[in-house]
């Protein structure tokens, strides 16, 4: 089965546990990066959009959707307001979103589904690196530090 279909099946399995999934994701993210908690003014609101958009972007990539790239460039640019975010944290957030999805869809999860999500995660991470590099190249020197 194509990645997109495998991914959609696993998302359907967590349709009723969206809140638990994102709460679990943010707990694990803050456990790994405790200093980040204070950067969030409204964790509940942000967690809805951050979780949804992370999963949607990977799903979009699996479907070769053209809207993913502009969304990634916007994500990278707006996140400059939240301080210096190392690439490691983006990677961790993406990986943890899949880990939590796997935990909540446990009865439906298998190695094929896991591989499909991880393949698209790798593409998303590469796009974030590329978007950061492209913004850096366009910005005057003062802006660049915040994005490194
Ligand atoms: C692919 C990964 C990510 C996506 C798709 C994403 C998406 C978003 C979106 C859409 C918002 C706006 C939320 C709103 O206005 O309600 C947001 C806010 C935010 N994001 Fe992310 N984000 C990602 C990764 C990260 C990472 C790694 C951090 C590290 C700390 C982070 C920190 C923040 C902060 C601090 C806010 C503002 C929250 C607030 O004001 O309460 N994001 N993110």
């Amino acid at each position: 089965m194509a990645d997109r279909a495998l991914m959609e099946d696993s998302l359907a399995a967590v349709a009723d546990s969206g809140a638990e999934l994102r709460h679990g994701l943010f707990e694990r993210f803050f456990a790994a990066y405790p200093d980040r908690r204070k950067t969030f003014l409204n964790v509940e609101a942000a967690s809805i959009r951050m979780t949804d958009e992370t999963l949607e972007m990977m799903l979009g990539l699996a479907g070769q959707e053209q809207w993913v790239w502009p969304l990634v460039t916007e994500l990278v640019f707006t996140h400059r307001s939240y301080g210096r975010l190392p690439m490691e944290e983006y990677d961790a957030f993406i990986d943890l979103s899949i880990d939590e999805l796997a935990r909540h869809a446990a009865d439906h999860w298998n190695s094929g589904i896991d591989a499909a999500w991880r393949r698209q995660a790798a593409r998303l991470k590469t796009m974030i690196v590329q978007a950061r590099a492209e913004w850096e190249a366009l910005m005057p020197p003062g802006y660049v530090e915040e994005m490194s």
Side-chain angles (χ1 to χ4, degrees), residues 8 16 24 29 48 65 73 88 91 93 110 113 132 148:
E8 279 172 347
D16 294 329
F29 183 73
I48 295 172
E65 302 283 354
T73 62
E88 180 197 324
D91 289 353
F93 189 80
N110 60 43
I113 292 173
R132 284 157 68 105
S148 57

Side-chain angles (χ1 to χ4, degrees), residues 29 36 39-43 45-46 49-50 53-54 57 75 79 82 85-86 89-90 93-94 124 128:
F29 183 73
R36 281 291 169 218
T39 6
F40 286 79
L41 300 175
N42 185 340
V43 179
R49 288 196 58 199
M50 280 182 50
E53 291 194 16
T54 302
M57 285 193 284
L75 164 81
H79 276 63
Y82 311 136
L85 301 186
E89 293 189 33
Y90 279 106
F93 189 80
I94 293 166
L124 178 57
I128 294 172

